[in-house]
Amino acid sequence: MLAMTTLDDLARELGRARAAYERRRDNADLYRRMLEAQVAFQDAQLRAAQETIARERARCLALGKALRKRREGYERVIEQMRDFARPLRRSRRGAIEAPDLFGGTS
C-alpha cells in the first residue's frame, strides 16, 4: 500500500505508475502498481468527498438551528405586538382603549 497521504501526492504517484506501465505493458508488477495507485487515489477522493459532505451537513444543521431560534424570537415579538395592540382596538362604543404599560387597560 502507498504511504502518501495527500490527494496531490496520490495523483502524482498514480501518474508515475501509469507512465511506467505505459512504457512496459508486458510487466505485471507495473500493472499491479498502477492499479494499487489508482485504488489508493480513488479511496482518498472518496474520503475527501465524505469529509466535505459531513462538514457541509454539520454547517447546514447549525444554520437550521440558528434560523429556528431566530424565527422563534420573531414569533415572540409578533405575539407581544399583538398583545399590545389588542387593547388599542375600538370598543363597541367607538372609544379607543389605551393599554396600561403594567398589564391592564385604562
Side-chain angles (χ1 to χ4, degrees):
M1 204 66 190
L2 299 173
M4 317 241 171
T5 56
T6 67
L7 202 55
D8 289 340
D9 291 340
L10 290 170
R12 278 191 285 279
E13 178 60 29
L14 176 58
R16 284 192 291 268
R18 186 175 287 142
Y21 173 68
E22 290 295 325
R23 283 192 299 270
R24 297 195 51 208
R25 286 192 170 264
D26 59 340
N27 191 328
D29 289 334
L30 291 177
Y31 184 65
R32 182 184 46 78
R33 178 178 162 222
M34 183 188 72
L35 290 179
E36 287 175 350
Q38 189 173 13
V39 167
F41 177 72
Q42 289 173 346
D43 184 53
Q45 274 186 320
L46 179 63
R47 288 180 194 273
Q50 287 173 334
E51 290 171 4
T52 300
I53 290 170
R55 272 194 313 274
E56 288 299 314
R57 181 179 182 276
R59 190 173 73 82
C60 287
L61 289 174
L63 243 165
K65 184 178 178 181
L67 287 174
R68 279 190 301 279
K69 200 171 187 179
R70 182 171 285 178
R71 186 189 70 218
E72 290 169 0
Y74 287 149
E75 288 172 352
R76 278 194 302 276
V77 169
I78 289 168
E79 191 58 37
Q80 289 172 351
M81 290 173 70
R82 285 183 183 146
D83 289 345
F84 183 76
R86 273 190 196 107
L88 289 177
R89 294 191 184 123
R90 293 193 180 270
S91 66
R92 290 187 179 165
R93 291 176 277 157
I96 295 177
E97 300 175 15
D100 182 10
L101 295 178
F102 298 103
T105 57
S106 48

